[in-house]
Amino acid sequence: MNCPICQAQNEEILWQNEDLRIIVVNEDANVPAFCRVIWQSHQAEMTDLNETQRAVLMNAVYHTETAMREVLRPTKINLASLGNVVPHLHWHVIARFDCDAYFPAPIWANAQRENTLRLPENWTEQVKNILAQKLV
Amino acid sequence: MNCPICQAQNEEILWQNEDLRIIVVNEDANVPAFCRVIWQSHQAEMTDLNETQRAVLMNAVYHTETAMREVLRPTKINLASLGNVVPHLHWHVIARFDCDAYFPAPIWANAQRENTLRLPENWTEQVKNILAQKLV
């Protein structure tokens, strides 16, 4: 199977186990506070998982949200599982700020302004430390 | 509080109880298969709910996804909780098709083509009937 999420390399991994991994996403300089929770197994939809698996995945999403809120104090968290391009289950967890390039539109809309957001340089390290304490 | 989700009227409600309601969204003709699961109480983030409340809300999202998959056989389901404009917790549940106006981009991007999708006229009725059987 030729899935870029199955075959991903050089990801900045914040936490992982056999079920899932949590990475930092640096695909768009206008979206500087972006994590992704990826189900390790190649499944497309939440309802392709059983109830326990869904709960495990969402627990990781919630802990990621909590850690990003604690470290970054964003205006809003955006959660999304889309997967139209790569139908391998993954959750976008995005900290949004009213000064960010797209706010209040979704990050998939056209940018409305230059990004003036400056985050603490070590925010990913702080999130990683929180996840290490909270997830087992 | 001047919240348009708290004050909403004339919604096409598929299912509701005291915790949440599931509605049909007809805001964009290019997105004809769009439901929304709304937490009744005015909360902003998933992590503002307790664990039981999150599970109740996601259970409704999963049942909505399952019903839309069963009735519409979409290419992909998109799930999103954004709320930048209206920070009152709600989940977009969108059935996507490879012939839809935005595919494979998110529906918040620019449309790529005219919508040629024709859905069964009674799809919302079918989803409503499934939800009535599955949710209590």
Side-chain angles (χ1 to χ4, degrees), chain A residues 44-48 51 54-55 58-59 61-63 65-66 69 74-89 91 96 103-110, chain B residues 44-48 51 54-55 58-59 61-63 65-66 69 74-89 91 96 103-110:
Chain A
E45 305 283 11
M46 285 302 285
T47 51
D48 292 333
E51 194 172 354
R54 285 178 215 164
M58 292 313 294
N59 182 59
V61 170
Y62 303 145
H63 276 295
E65 171 176 310
T66 297
R69 289 181 76 180
T75 308
K76 190 70 189 66
I77 291 287
N78 289 179
L79 303 177
S81 171
L82 308 177
N84 305 318
V85 176
V86 184
H88 177 137
L89 197 52
W91 280 92
R96 302 297 310 278
F103 201 90
I107 65 157
W108 303 282
N110 297 315
Chain B
E45 305 283 11
M46 285 303 284
T47 51
D48 293 333
E51 194 172 355
R54 285 177 215 166
M58 292 312 293
N59 181 59
V61 170
Y62 303 144
H63 276 296
E65 172 176 311
T66 297
R69 290 181 76 181
T75 308
K76 188 72 189 67
I77 291 287
N78 289 179
L79 303 178
S81 170
L82 308 177
N84 305 316
V85 176
V86 183
H88 178 137
L89 197 53
W91 279 92
R96 302 296 309 277
F103 201 88
I107 65 157
W108 302 281
N110 297 317

Side-chain angles (χ1 to χ4, degrees), chain B residues 5-128:
Chain B
I5 291 183
C6 288
Q7 297 174 353
Q9 293 187 325
N10 303 318
E11 292 176 325
E12 184 180 344
I13 294 175
L14 297 176
W15 192 86
Q16 70 176 328
N17 69 1
E18 62 186 6
D19 289 328
L20 58 92
R21 64 188 187 270
I22 304 173
I23 69 170
V24 180
V25 180
N26 294 307
E27 294 168 1
D28 179 349
N30 279 332
V31 190
F34 190 167
C35 294
R36 190 171 286 149
V37 184
I38 299 167
W39 192 248
Q40 304 282 26
S41 164
H42 189 86
Q43 301 288 339
E45 305 283 11
M46 285 303 284
T47 51
D48 293 333
L49 303 188
N50 67 35
E51 194 172 355
T52 304
Q53 292 171 322
R54 285 177 215 166
V56 165
L57 178 49
M58 292 312 293
N59 181 59
V61 170
Y62 303 144
H63 276 296
T64 304
E65 172 176 311
T66 297
M68 292 175 81
R69 290 181 76 181
E70 187 173 324
V71 172
L72 297 167
R73 304 280 165 199
T75 308
K76 188 72 189 67
I77 291 287
N78 289 179
L79 303 178
S81 170
L82 308 177
N84 305 316
V85 176
V86 183
H88 178 137
L89 197 53
H90 57 280
W91 279 92
H92 306 298
V93 184
I94 308 160
R96 302 296 309 277
F97 301 84
D98 50 18
C99 62
D100 78 34
Y102 300 93
F103 201 88
I107 65 157
W108 302 281
N110 297 317
Q112 302 190 17
R113 66 188 70 83
E114 276 189 46
N115 176 45
T116 57
L117 196 59
R118 293 294 171 269
L119 300 177
E121 275 189 24
N122 66 345
W123 77 267
T124 61
E125 197 61 36
Q126 290 185 60
V127 168
K128 186 175 185 171

